[in-house]
């Protein structure tokens, strides 16, 4: 076939050829992707097989094999905690991450009054990193390792479901005492006011007030003006 | 005791809790709530005894000074009001007059004491 085609027919042919080429490129890309997924699927199947095998053996010690296995799963992007949980606690990656987090966060948390909401932690860590960011799941998983590794930080979940990181040395009793003292001297406080006075976030101020209430040291007044907390006079003042 | 019943109605002495805003919010802490309910029960009883009222209408009593303190602008919500009344019933100081729990008798002495 001669390539010399003048006029509109020539242009149309050229366009047609170009279209075919891109078409081929696209379908090739998808074929590769299919192959890749097929291979990954085999990996997934294999890992599930191994998971059931580990289950049969019922090992509760962190054996090297399961640690290795978890690293495999992590690189695949399959989190299969239901079957993994009993076979090695967390992953090597999360453990290393936990150590790193402890070194980064100890000072900022100390400056923050010994406690920081997990969402704040997430912002700080990822802002500092810039690249290779952490996923929320990774952060939570890493935080769960703190206590096992004996690091100076601790993940705590309040009754409201709010997760915070606190210094192990951060004594809750002391925080409650301070809160109750402030309540007595001011008469009553809202979470907002408390956060201003001691310079912590509103979320944490509320957490403190609720903790004091839970311990029976404070009581609440709910009205259209919002929730305010008072010292628990029901307990301290005699009946009459 | 007898003479106090003869006193003018304005002489009723409110307990300190009446001017304490948290008194009008049902406390979530169970231990605190129990003390709060005790105080409410004794207030309701002494109030009825003082004014020699024997019955209580739930819709009417909501606006009565007994359950709303205009000075601190607080009012006991209806659900909390029912909890107080149920507590009184358990103690034997209250008897419902209808199934819908709208009217009841307040007995500042239990039937056994009469």
């Amino acid at each position: 076939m001669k390539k010399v085609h003048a006029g509109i027919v020539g242009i149309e042919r050229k366009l047609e050829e170009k279209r075919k080429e891109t078409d081929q490129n696209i379908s090739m890309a998808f074929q590769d992707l299919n192959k890749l997924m097929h291979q990954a699927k085999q990996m997934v199947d294999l890992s599930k097989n191994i998971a059931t095998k580990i289950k049969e053996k019922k090992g509760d010690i962190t054996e090297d094999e399961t640690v290795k296995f978890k690293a495999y799963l992590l690189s695949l992007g399959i989190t299969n905690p239901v079957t993994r949980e009993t076979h090695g606690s967390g992953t090597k990656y999360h453990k290393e991450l936990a150590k790193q987090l402890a070194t980064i966060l100890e000072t900022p948390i100390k400056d923050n009054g010994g406690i920081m909401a997990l969402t704040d932690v997430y912002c700080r860590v990822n802002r500092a990193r810039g690249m290779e960011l952490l996923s929320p799941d990774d952060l939570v998983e890493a935080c769960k390792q703190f206590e096992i590794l004996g690091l100076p930080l601790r993940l705590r979940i309040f009754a409201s479901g709010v997760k915070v990181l606190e210094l192990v040395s951060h004594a809750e009793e002391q925080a409650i005492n301070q809160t109750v003292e402030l309540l007595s001297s001011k008469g009553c406080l809202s979470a907002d006011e408390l956060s201003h006075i001691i310079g912590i976030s509103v979320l944490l101020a509320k957490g403190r007030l609720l903790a004091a209430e839970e311990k029976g040291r404070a009581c609440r007044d709910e009205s259209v003006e919002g929730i305010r907390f008072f010292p628990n006079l029901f307990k301290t003042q005699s009946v009459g | 005791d007898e003479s106090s019943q003869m006193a003018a109605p304005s002489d009723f002495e409110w307990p300190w809790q009446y001017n304490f805003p948290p008194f009008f919010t049902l406390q979530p802490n169970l231990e605190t709530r129990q003390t709060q309910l005790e105080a409410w029960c004794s207030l309701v009883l002494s109030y009825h005894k003082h004014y020699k009222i024997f019955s209580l209408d739930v819709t009417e009593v909501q606006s009565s000074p007994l359950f709303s303190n205009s000075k601190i602008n607080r009012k006991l919500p209806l659900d909390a009001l029912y909890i107080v009344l149920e507590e009184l019933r358990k103690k034997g100081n209250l008897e419902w007059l209808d199934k819908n729990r709208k009217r009841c008798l307040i007995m500042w002495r239990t039937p056994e004491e009469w």
Side-chain angles (χ1 to χ4, degrees), chain A residues 213-216 218-223 225 228 230-235 237-240, chain B residues 15-17 20-29 31-32 35-36 39 42 72-74:
Chain A
E213 181 186 54
E214 211 173 300
K215 286 262 159 30
C219 58
R220 65 171 66 190
D221 163 38
E222 274 170 56
S223 70
E225 296 146 39
R228 303 189 68 79
F230 286 70
N232 192 357
L233 297 186
F234 292 119
K235 206 171 184 180
Q237 202 130 330
S238 59
V239 187
Chain B
W16 66 265
Q17 289 98 331
F20 185 50
F23 193 42
F24 292 86
T25 299
L26 196 64
Q27 296 300 320
N29 182 317
E31 216 176 300
T32 312
T35 334
Q36 183 193 16
S42 75
I72 56 168
N73 197 17
R74 291 289 182 279

Side-chain angles (χ1 to χ4, degrees), chain A residues 44 46-56 58-63 65-95 135 137-138 140-142 144-145:
Chain A
V44 174
L46 189 67
S47 66
K48 274 189 185 151
N49 265 341
I50 298 175
T52 35
K53 267 182 194 156
I54 295 175
K55 208 175 189 178
E56 281 162 12
K58 287 236 165 81
D60 42 0
I61 329 147
T62 34
E63 291 159 57
E65 262 177 54
T66 51
V67 171
K68 220 178 201 172
F69 177 58
K70 281 204 173 176
Y72 282 145
L73 283 190
L74 208 66
S75 66
L76 275 176
I78 320 156
T79 33
N80 195 0
V82 199
T83 46
R84 279 194 315 165
E85 211 85 304
T86 44
H87 316 296
S89 48
T91 57
K92 224 171 194 166
Y93 165 61
H94 289 139
K95 280 194 173 144
S135 78
D137 274 349
D138 280 342
V140 174
E141 283 302 318
K144 282 182 186 163
Q145 307 295 327

Side-chain angles (χ1 to χ4, degrees), chain A residues 54-159:
Chain A
I54 295 175
K55 208 175 189 178
E56 281 162 12
K57 279 190 181 169
K58 287 236 165 81
D60 42 0
I61 329 147
T62 34
E63 291 159 57
D64 241 8
E65 262 177 54
T66 51
V67 171
K68 220 178 201 172
F69 177 58
K70 281 204 173 176
Y72 282 145
L73 283 190
L74 208 66
S75 66
L76 275 176
I78 320 156
T79 33
N80 195 0
V82 199
T83 46
R84 279 194 315 165
E85 211 85 304
T86 44
H87 316 296
S89 48
T91 57
K92 224 171 194 166
Y93 165 61
H94 289 139
K95 280 194 173 144
E96 289 307 312
L97 189 60
K99 284 178 203 161
Q100 199 189 17
L101 286 175
T103 41
I104 307 173
L105 292 168
E106 207 179 336
T107 352
I109 290 185
K110 206 175 269 169
D111 295 342
N112 214 27
I115 189 165
M116 199 187 267
L118 204 59
T119 42
D120 292 349
V121 171
Y122 184 74
C123 289
R124 265 177 187 269
V125 173
N126 272 344
R127 265 199 84 166
R129 283 195 165 207
M131 297 274 284
E132 292 278 341
L133 300 182
L134 292 182
S135 78
D137 274 349
D138 280 342
L139 181 65
V140 174
E141 283 302 318
C143 290
K144 282 182 186 163
Q145 307 295 327
F146 283 149
E147 273 183 276
I148 302 158
L149 294 172
L151 293 168
L153 292 176
R154 179 167 55 194
L155 176 69
R156 232 182 100 208
I157 303 169
F158 284 120

